[in-house]
């Protein structure tokens, strides 16, 4: 098939390159000239394991442009633009709206059936109440008759996005008309996983319910972990026991300093705002966010137990990405931790294998180390992201406060785990 992908960030580039590998022709449309240049030189615009190899292998099957006209040469368009939070936590749909308008303008000039698929995470109702009227207005055509419209939520995880594209747990297809369903079933026919076909707003809600559940599981683990810490119990031993219950499942019980990233915080906040919009107060989801906000400060509290006055003290920060194997720092727990250390007038020396360039844009005023070993020379070290290479360091004789359970760090002279 000929596919256009609007928005070539983490989701767009992985999806597009994945579809190219499966034999489709892909055109990326983005507003960011740097991303377009990078893609056209077969360089991933983000760091993601396996992506560069796949881009090199399929070099003749994709191109990138800022010109929406290239939609005219394709059969199907995926909307993969960002859906950040507004200041009040509700979803900011401005990128989705502008993409829908541009797609609509092109559909006006296009003969034949074209399918538009919303892959961005959008609150229930968005595809039919926001995207559909905008495309209809600009194109003068009717959805589900003259053009297809679907919602196909994305579940990939940064750090293993390429693998997740080819081996998804499930594919959810939210549709209304048969023709659109057939197009998507054909596109996804190479995949053997369960495929769930639903109506459009159910597909939108499945994405939010999934992320809200995972965020809840993390905040639950953290709350139990906080109690464990006070009782001198190792939360990891506790969750080993809990996870063996087949009704529960051991994944996502890594108690620590909380979740960050481009999805969980913003999606839970957007769901809270949407619930309030319809007169429902989401008590549990609010508590999930409250627990999460409190976790990073526990690392600082533990640090101050050993060094009460941080002024002028050299504090090492290991890990800046919101999780290992990515360069993404959106909502990283390193951000509130570094802000607090700056308030305390500590001297910060930070290291991350992939995310330092991104972090430098937010915090140009702190020092960055060339190697993780340099960071170990600080008065105390905070572990903020559990990169595998941090398991190889020699922590002997150091003060280490661990937010992510790096086993090797337990050999430090003074070692504190946030929930153990
Ligand atoms: P991103 O910020 O990495 O990428 C978005 C891209 O869209 C950027 O390259 C931006 O330049 C481009 N863009 C913005 N407006 C545009 C426009 N009008 N036309 C063309 N391009 C435009 O975002 P992301 O992390 O890939 O997330 C995209 C969506 O997918 C979000 O809704 C997110 O919640 C969802 N999602 C993300 C992940 C993830 O792990 N990152 C996983 C599942 C779902």
């Amino acid at each position: 098939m000929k596919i256009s992908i609007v928005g070539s960030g983490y989701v767009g580039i992985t999806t597009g390159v994945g579809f190219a590998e499966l034999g489709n022709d892909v055109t990326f449309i983005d507003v960011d000239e740097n991303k377009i240049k990078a893609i056209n030189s077969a360089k991933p615009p983000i760091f993601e394991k396996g992506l560069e190899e796949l881009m090199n292998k399929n070099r003749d099957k994709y191109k990138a442009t800022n010109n929406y006209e290239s939609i005219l040469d394709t059969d199907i368009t995926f909307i993969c633009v960002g859906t950040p939070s507004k200041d009040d936590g509700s979803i900011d749909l401005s990128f989705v709206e502008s993409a829908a308008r541009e797609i609509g303008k092109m559909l006006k000039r296009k003969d034949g059936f074209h399918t538009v698929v919303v892959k961005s995470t959008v609150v229930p109702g968005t595809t039919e109440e926001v995207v559909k009227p905008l495309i209809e207005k600009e194109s003068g055509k009717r959805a589900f008759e003259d053009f297809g419209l679907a919602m196909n939520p994305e579940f990939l995880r940064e750090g293993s996005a390429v693998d997740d594209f080819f081996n998804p747990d499930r594919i959810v297809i939210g549709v209304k008309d048969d023709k659109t369903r057939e197009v998507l079933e054909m596109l996804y026919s190479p995949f053997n996983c369960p495929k769930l076909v639903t109506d459009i707003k159910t597909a939108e809600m499945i994405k939010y319910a999934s992320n809200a559940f995972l965020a809840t599981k993390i905040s639950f683990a953290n709350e139990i972990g906080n109690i464990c810490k006070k009782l001198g119990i190792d939360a990891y031993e506790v969750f080993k026991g809990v996870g063996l219950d087949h009704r529960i499942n051991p994944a996502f019980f890594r108690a620590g300093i909380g979740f960050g990233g481009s999805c969980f915080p913003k999606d839970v906040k957007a769901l809270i705002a949407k619930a309030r919009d319809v007169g429902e107060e989401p008590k549990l989801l609010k508590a999930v966010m409250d627990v999460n906000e409190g976790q990073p400060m526990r690392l600082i509290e533990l640090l101050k137990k050993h060094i009460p006055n941080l002024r002028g003290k050299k504090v090492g920060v290991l890990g800046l990405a919101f999780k290992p194997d990515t360069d993404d720092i959106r909502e990283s727990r390193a951000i509130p931790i570094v802000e607090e250390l700056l308030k305390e007038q500590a001297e910060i020396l930070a290291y991350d294998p992939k995310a330092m360039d991104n972090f430098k844009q937010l915090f140009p005023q702190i020092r960055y180390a060339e190697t993780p070993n340099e960071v170990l020379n600080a008065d105390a070290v905070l572990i903020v992201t559990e990169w595998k290479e941090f398991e190889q360091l020699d922590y002997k004789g150091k003060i280490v406060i661990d937010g992510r359970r790096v086993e090797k760090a337990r050999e430090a002279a003074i070692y504190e785990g946030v929930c153990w």
Side-chain angles (χ1 to χ4, degrees), residues 344-415:
E344 297 274 348
Q345 299 185 318
E347 241 184 72
I348 304 168
L349 182 60
Y351 175 81
D352 188 284
K354 295 287 175 200
M356 285 200 287
D357 286 347
N358 286 338
F359 212 79
K360 273 177 198 168
Q361 293 182 16
L362 271 190
F363 292 99
Q365 72 274 49
I366 68 169
R367 281 181 56 221
Y368 294 87
E370 306 256 312
T371 66
N373 276 318
E374 244 180 86
V375 170
L376 293 184
N377 291 326
D379 294 310
V381 175
L382 304 180
I383 300 180
V384 178
T385 316
E386 67 278 30
W387 284 92
K388 255 204 197 96
E389 64 181 85
F390 298 162
E391 281 289 359
Q392 316 301 325
L393 304 179
D394 180 3
Y395 295 93
K396 284 189 215 92
K398 315 289 178 194
I399 300 179
V400 177
I401 316 293
D402 187 359
R404 298 294 188 191
R405 184 75 164 213
V406 169
E407 289 298 334
K408 186 81 183 317
R410 304 178 88 176
E411 66 184 30
I414 295 177
Y415 175 83

Side-chain angles (χ1 to χ4, degrees), residues 7 9-11 30 35 68 83 98 121 154 158 262 266 330:
Y10 288 84
V11 167
D30 205 293
K35 282 196 175 135
Y68 271 84
T83 47
S98 115
T121 302
E154 180 52 60
E158 286 178 26
S262 66
K266 85 165 170 67
R330 289 179 284 187

Side-chain angles (χ1 to χ4, degrees), residues 180-192:
T180 307
R181 182 173 47 78
E182 280 160 23
V183 170
L184 281 166
E185 281 176 348
M186 191 156 74
L187 182 68
Y188 281 118
S189 59
F191 295 83
N192 285 323

Side-chain angles (χ1 to χ4, degrees), residues 225-282:
N226 295 341
I227 303 169
C228 285
K229 179 76 183 172
K230 295 272 160 67
L231 294 173
I233 298 170
D234 180 347
Y236 277 65
E237 286 296 307
V238 170
F239 284 112
K240 214 188 270 172
V242 174
L244 287 170
D245 186 322
H246 74 279
R247 296 166 303 177
I248 297 181
N249 179 309
F252 264 65
F253 274 145
R254 292 186 58 91
I257 46 174
F259 55 80
S262 66
C263 291
F264 290 172
K266 85 165 170 67
D267 291 349
V268 177
K269 282 189 239 165
L271 186 55
I272 289 173
K274 187 70 193 174
R276 286 180 178 152
D277 255 11
V278 293
E280 196 56 46
E281 185 57 26

